[in-house]
Amino acid sequence: MNTNSYIKGFLSSGSSYWDRFWFTPFPERLSSIFRIVHGGALLAFLLAWWKNGSEWLSTAGFHTPNELTPPLDPSLLPIFGVFQFGLLILFIAGWQVRVMAGLSWLCFLYVTLVDRVSAYSINSIFLFSLAVFTLFPTKSKNASIPIAPVRLLQLAMVAIYFSSGWHKAVFGDWLDSPHVLEASIQGIYMTDFAAWALRTMPAFVWPITQYAVLAFELFSPVLFFSRQLRIYGIIAGCVFHLGIALFMDQLIYFSLQMMSFYILFLPQEIWKNLRASCAFQGSPSMILAKITKRSALL
Amino acid sequence: MRRTTSNIFILLLLIGWIIPVAYFGFTNGAPPWLPAFLIQRTNVSRLFYREQSGFWIYELSYRRENCINFEPFCEQDYFRMYPFGYRTRFQRFMSSSNPEVREAISLWIKNKLDADNGENPVREIRITRFAYLAKAEGKPTGHYRQPQSADLTKAVIHPIANFEY
């Protein structure tokens, strides 16, 4: 009898915790800002790649035979482009969000599968976020939505960071050799800026940066899920992704994609006060202190 | 939206994407429950984890009918796209260890070259590769530019495949 009541109590408290975790109201405005910025990152990425659209998506370029999704006839490319960009722009604009997200997901799934050699993590992450926007309502008449889609996106971002860090530390060479980062930027990704940095920066900068990157990824759950530390996580993440964008060719789109997730971690008060000009008056240290204080309260 | 439906979608995305992403990072392998089509799409945590001191660069040359010498194939003529980094799709396809892909790309290149010069069709294609070690080249002067084997004094050229038509 006691055991039964204990189990019932456990299940009941678990169920109420689940409900609180996934269904607490969340301001619709924040999810809309995320949709605009995240969708903008996808738009920028697609615009950059469409410069070589015929090689990428049509039979004008080489594609591996017997793929599930055949490449387009070159004459169909403009029509597909109109669909892809039109749907994405409507999604960003917030018109029929779930339908537009679903159709954009289908278009993006096609471009991901038709040329797998050009599809990377950025594709997988956009497919996930578009799936979230398709499956869950992110617009509401009463200005708040259940937090489930936001929680899923937050968990996804932290899962990517933490598992990447873990993999680097346990299965990779990041703890065994201090030259992994330096070697990574010297190859095919090396930009002019990276080449300049490799020529001019003192050698000790690279191991320090390497361990800082690893620490950021490994501590990402604490940095992003602790309200007190969240703002520092966002600042560190912005520096991390700015570095990636500067040092590694075309990874700016990945940086934009990942940084857009930070919007979902910002304290809601910041957005309320953003309109009020007084919110960001003062010295940078005062602003940081203000934001940190608000983060801790929320 | 009904809460039951939401719960199903939450579990679907957790089991189908978020947990597999973490699983890949923690175990260095694919989750056993994941269908094949989702494996590549959830393998996002295994990036830049090894110290890569060098990599292979592939070169293709072809011999036309009635010619003895091989001519070098210019990648940029047919592969102008650089999907992340300064590396063409040609190099990325060639990096695939699948010999069928190399055979298919060779045939595709032959057909393209024949379309441009049908009078002397391509009769033979040769694929070679050489190792590029970034550190051995000294301090970089600008962004990565793919070297030719002829540019490197110590390049050891390895034959990979030969196709006759």
Side-chain angles (χ1 to χ4, degrees):
Chain A
M1 194 70 179
N2 280 342
T3 315
N4 278 350
S5 61
Y6 177 76
I7 292 170
K8 273 182 189 173
F10 179 77
L11 288 175
S12 165
S13 62
S15 165
S16 65
Y17 179 77
W18 174 274
D19 278 359
R20 272 202 314 279
F21 186 80
W22 294 108
F23 299 105
T24 301
F26 184 79
E28 181 216 359
R29 194 194 302 159
L30 266 185
S31 79
S32 296
I33 292 167
F34 170 74
R35 188 192 69 241
I36 293 165
V37 177
H38 197 69
L42 175 55
L43 189 66
F45 169 57
L46 285 173
L47 278 170
W49 281 37
W50 265 81
K51 280 186 295 189
N52 296 295
S54 61
E55 181 189 336
W56 180 31
L57 302 176
S58 84
T59 50
F62 173 75
H63 290 83
T64 43
N66 309 321
E67 280 286 1
L68 195 67
T69 48
L72 296 166
D73 186 86
S75 63
L76 293 174
L77 206 58
I79 300 165
F80 181 76
V82 168
F83 264 104
Q84 184 166 48
F85 286 108
L87 293 167
L88 188 57
I89 288 164
L90 290 172
F91 165 71
I92 293 168
W95 188 73
Q96 296 289 326
V97 171
R98 293 180 73 184
V99 178
M100 294 305 122
L103 295 172
S104 293
W105 184 86
L106 283 174
C107 286
F108 198 64
L109 181 69
Y110 173 76
V111 304
T112 299
L113 294 180
V114 76
D115 192 29
R116 290 177 202 230
V117 80
S118 310
Y120 289 86
S121 300
I122 190 171
N123 292 59
S124 306
I125 297 166
F126 275 130
L127 282 172
F128 173 79
S129 52
L130 284 172
V132 170
F133 274 104
T134 307
L135 296 176
F136 294 92
T138 48
K139 287 199 89 173
S140 163
K141 285 173 187 168
N142 60 8
S144 70
I145 54 165
I147 202 168
V150 176
R151 290 270 195 242
L152 285 164
L153 291 161
Q154 289 175 330
L155 283 172
M157 189 202 83
V158 173
I160 292 166
Y161 280 146
F162 184 65
S163 57
S164 299
W166 183 269
H167 197 266
K168 285 182 179 100
V170 176
F171 299 103
D173 302 328
W174 282 59
L175 289 177
D176 302 328
S177 164
H179 305 297
V180 185
L181 185 76
E182 191 183 356
S184 296
I185 61 167
Q186 275 193 58
I188 59 162
Y189 292 97
M190 184 173 63
T191 58
D192 282 322
F193 185 82
W196 171 83
L198 286 162
R199 280 195 311 273
T200 53
M201 302 279 249
F204 67 84
V205 167
W206 304 109
I208 292 172
T209 312
Q210 176 179 320
Y211 295 122
V213 165
L214 189 61
F216 167 72
E217 290 190 331
L218 286 173
F219 288 102
S220 59
V222 181
L223 285 170
F224 285 97
F225 289 132
S226 151
R227 287 174 180 169
Q228 283 81 9
L229 296 176
R230 193 172 285 176
I231 197 69
Y232 300 107
I234 291 171
I235 293 168
C238 287
V239 173
F240 171 52
H241 285 295
L242 192 67
I244 290 176
L246 286 171
F247 283 89
M248 302 181 96
D249 180 56
Q250 294 188 75
L251 291 193
I252 186 171
Y253 305 108
F254 173 68
S255 289
L256 290 173
Q257 177 189 52
M258 293 306 286
M259 283 196 291
S260 68
F261 281 98
Y262 298 166
I263 292 166
L264 301 172
F265 289 90
L266 283 170
Q268 296 163 23
E269 285 298 311
I270 282 180
W271 299 104
K272 283 181 187 165
N273 293 335
L274 195 61
R275 287 179 181 175
S277 58
C278 62
F280 287 100
Q281 277 177 6
S283 66
S285 57
M286 281 172 65
I287 292 167
L288 187 64
K290 203 183 283 185
I291 292 169
T292 312
K293 191 177 169 189
R294 283 185 186 143
S295 309
L297 288 170
L298 290 163
Chain B
M1 192 179 192
R2 284 188 176 180
R3 197 156 282 204
T4 314
T5 318
S6 289
N7 281 328
I8 291 168
F9 289 157
I10 289 166
L11 290 172
L12 192 75
L13 291 171
L14 280 174
I15 298 166
W17 206 84
I18 296 173
I19 294 172
V21 164
Y23 189 98
F24 261 113
F26 295 144
T27 66
N28 199 23
W33 68 87
L34 211 62
F37 69 92
L38 269 176
I39 286 177
Q40 202 183 350
R41 299 279 65 87
T42 52
N43 184 8
V44 299
S45 347
R46 303 195 294 181
L47 298 169
F48 305 107
Y49 64 101
R50 289 258 181 244
E51 183 179 351
Q52 213 177 7
S53 53
F55 46 90
W56 294 110
I57 294 175
Y58 294 83
E59 288 182 331
L60 186 145
S61 53
Y62 57 93
R63 186 181 62 76
R64 289 190 182 275
E65 195 169 58
N66 302 324
C67 290
I68 302 167
N69 296 328
F70 278 79
E71 296 173 47
F73 169 69
C74 179
E75 275 175 57
Q76 279 72 27
D77 287 349
Y78 300 105
F79 296 89
R80 295 188 183 91
M81 185 178 180
Y82 292 83
F84 299 115
Y86 299 96
R87 199 170 210 203
T88 61
R89 290 169 74 249
F90 171 79
Q91 292 293 330
R92 292 183 184 274
F93 278 119
M94 282 294 165
S95 305
S96 152
S97 53
N98 186 348
E100 285 174 18
V101 172
R102 288 178 184 155
E103 192 173 349
I105 202 168
S106 297
L107 182 62
W108 185 86
I109 288 168
K110 175 210 158 22
N111 290 336
K112 287 281 178 188
L113 291 168
D114 286 354
D116 291 346
N117 183 359
E119 289 176 5
N120 285 315
V122 171
R123 289 293 175 223
E124 197 174 351
I125 281 185
R126 180 188 291 168
I127 301 169
T128 55
R129 72 179 180 188
F130 62 97
Y132 175 74
L133 301 168
K135 275 194 173 173
E137 300 306 313
K139 294 280 182 189
T141 52
H143 70 76
Y144 171 80
R145 287 176 184 81
Q146 187 175 294
Q148 304 290 308
S149 56
D151 302 337
L152 306 175
T153 48
K154 289 180 183 172
V156 180
I157 296 163
H158 303 263
I160 297 297
N162 208 70
F163 301 105
E164 289 183 19
Y165 301 102

